[in-house]
Amino acid sequence: MTEETVHESEEQRSRRGISSFLRRISNRLRRGEPVPVDEEQTVTVEPPEEAELDVEVERAGGNINLEIDVEWAEEEGGAIETETQASKATFGLYTDEAGEHRWRLRHNNGNIIADGSEGYSSKQKAKQGLESVKNNVAGAYVEDLSKDEQDEPQEGGSKATFEIYEDKQEKWRWRLVHDNGNIIADCGRGYSSKQKAKQGLNSVKSNAPGAPVEADT
């Protein structure tokens, strides 16, 4: 039987970035859902209930190689999809009443789960803003501003951090803050509890990277 490489990628990531990638795979495996193997979530594979897991650590030429291999017979698993849409949300580009260009992320259930915190002078700049969110959201560290003491600072898998906080109306919110200090996304509305705010940002973490971009109608 001939071999075929369906997908292959290689990039430098921080430990936390690697953890975020593996966590996404783990969550999909646990739920029995197709597993996305790329950041855009367009390539997915569906393993069976049981598969052979091979873990190997190799030292060679001054390098350490940790290799995790999961293998199963093709007829036992689901199909490999290379042009799938794993995200359950869509980015919409629109022009507001002031003539500024904006974006919002709408879940398939109709709810807006994230939007840009500002208007842009052009559609191109709005696209750049949402692309920054797509690139940074999955590995972003979550910081709870309501806690008296913060956790030890960690190196994130992105250039942005989620901040959870309580507003003046005692509603819980989140915002995604870039390392340059700019707020590049927020929840757009308040939640009744911190838990619901966390659920909201986790939905954005899962769905934003692979969400298609369309013009709102």
Side-chain angles (χ1 to χ4, degrees):
M1 182 176 293
T2 59
E3 292 186 1
E4 176 191 6
T5 300
V6 178
H7 172 78
E8 184 175 12
S9 60
E10 181 178 346
E11 61 181 301
Q12 192 77 16
R13 291 199 184 195
S14 68
R15 286 188 303 179
R16 191 167 183 83
I18 295 171
S19 172
S20 297
F21 177 76
L22 293 176
R23 188 181 303 113
R24 182 163 67 245
I25 292 177
S26 174
N27 289 339
R28 297 294 176 88
L29 280 172
R30 186 178 64 253
R31 296 195 297 261
E33 299 174 355
V35 176
V37 298
D38 62 333
E39 284 298 330
E40 293 76 21
Q41 302 185 42
T42 57
V43 181
T44 63
V45 62
E46 191 171 356
E49 285 292 328
E50 292 187 3
E52 183 176 335
L53 175 64
D54 182 23
V55 181
E56 181 179 352
V57 179
E58 183 181 54
R59 181 189 290 117
N63 294 323
I64 301 295
N65 180 39
L66 169 60
E67 189 172 304
I68 302 174
D69 187 45
V70 182
E71 184 176 346
W72 62 91
E74 186 170 356
E75 63 269 16
E76 294 179 359
I80 298 174
E81 300 290 344
T82 57
E83 295 183 1
T84 189
Q85 179 50 57
S87 174
K88 297 179 181 178
T90 302
F91 278 102
L93 289 164
Y94 68 101
T95 305
D96 64 17
E97 295 180 353
E100 293 187 311
H101 297 272
R102 293 179 176 270
W103 65 262
R104 54 193 166 202
L105 182 62
R106 189 187 300 273
H107 195 276
N108 290 350
N109 62 16
N111 292 336
I112 296 174
I113 58 177
D115 60 38
S117 61
E118 61 175 332
Y120 296 87
S121 59
S122 67
K123 183 184 293 185
Q124 181 61 29
K125 289 186 180 297
K127 285 183 177 180
Q128 290 173 353
L130 72 86
E131 286 297 331
S132 178
V133 173
K134 286 167 71 78
N135 293 335
N136 289 294
V137 67
Y141 174 63
V142 180
E143 184 177 3
D144 187 350
L145 301 185
S146 68
K147 297 169 65 175
D148 293 334
E149 294 184 5
Q150 292 298 324
D151 297 331
E152 191 71 20
Q154 301 182 43
E155 181 184 9
S158 77
K159 296 180 179 179
T161 301
F162 277 105
E163 294 180 349
I164 293 181
Y165 65 100
E166 190 175 20
D167 65 18
K168 294 180 180 179
Q169 285 72 45
E170 298 184 342
K171 294 289 187 179
W172 290 93
R173 295 178 177 268
W174 62 260
R175 58 195 172 207
L176 184 62
V177 184
H178 195 276
D179 288 350
N180 61 17
N182 292 335
I183 299 173
I184 58 176
D186 61 44
C187 55
R189 64 185 180 92
Y191 292 88
S192 59
S193 69
K194 184 191 297 187
Q195 181 63 27
K196 289 185 181 297
K198 287 182 177 180
Q199 291 172 352
L201 76 83
N202 283 330
S203 177
V204 175
K205 272 177 168 281
S206 299
N207 291 298
V213 181
E214 299 177 354
D216 274 9
T217 57

